Amino acid sequence: MRPLFPFGHGLSYTTFGYTGLRLRGRGSGLEAVFTVRNTGRRAGAEVAQVYLGPSPDLRFDQAERVLAGYRRVHLRPGEARKVTVRVDARTLSAWDTGRRGWVLGTGWRTVEVGSSSRDRRLRGRIEVRHGA
């Protein structure tokens, strides 16, 4: 069943654009850096969301996509702002029932950015490694 409103859905009196996704490793975590621009005629707030795909290296069930982080930005008409969302190692990990503990999901991971779980506008990939 498809929900009426996706996770992160919000109403605004303006519109926003997303550009320039860059991904970089930070220890065992990562950072997603991108720009959000108010493309409408009114001031408004946007909650930019970062979603993470499953690890190809983990051999157990994982979610297809998880909310890895978000940042709320207030922008005047035409204003743009660089946004950084940090994703820590715990968010990149999954619970392994066999080990009874969290395991870092290494390998090439998909990262998507947008205004809701159904409105993902930017996409990139980054390799997650132990202690990288």
Side-chain angles (χ1 to χ4, degrees), residues 16-69:
F16 298 91
Y18 289 73
T19 58
L21 176 61
R22 288 189 337 248
L23 301 170
R24 55 187 177 212
R26 287 286 188 238
S28 293
L30 64 89
E31 284 183 344
V33 181
F34 51 93
T35 300
V36 178
R37 177 180 300 279
N38 182 337
T39 57
R41 294 183 179 182
R42 297 176 183 252
E46 175 76 327
V47 179
Q49 300 165 33
V50 175
Y51 290 90
L52 182 66
S55 165
D57 294 345
L58 297 178
R59 301 294 178 223
F60 48 83
D61 288 339
Q62 301 171 68
E64 178 182 320
R65 180 181 308 110
V66 297
L67 177 65

Side-chain angles (χ1 to χ4, degrees), residues 80-126:
R81 185 167 307 144
K82 187 181 343 179
V83 176
T84 300
V85 177
R86 290 178 179 83
V87 179
D88 62 19
R90 177 69 174 267
T91 304
L92 292 166
S93 301
W95 183 260
D96 184 341
T97 56
R99 293 183 189 179
R100 296 184 178 174
W102 292 97
V103 178
L104 182 64
T106 56
W108 284 96
R109 307 286 299 267
T110 299
V111 178
E112 296 175 296
V113 176
S115 62
S116 79
S117 62
R118 215 181 280 158
D119 185 10
R120 300 173 319 275
R121 303 178 194 189
L122 302 175
R123 181 183 177 108
R125 289 173 43 91
I126 187 169

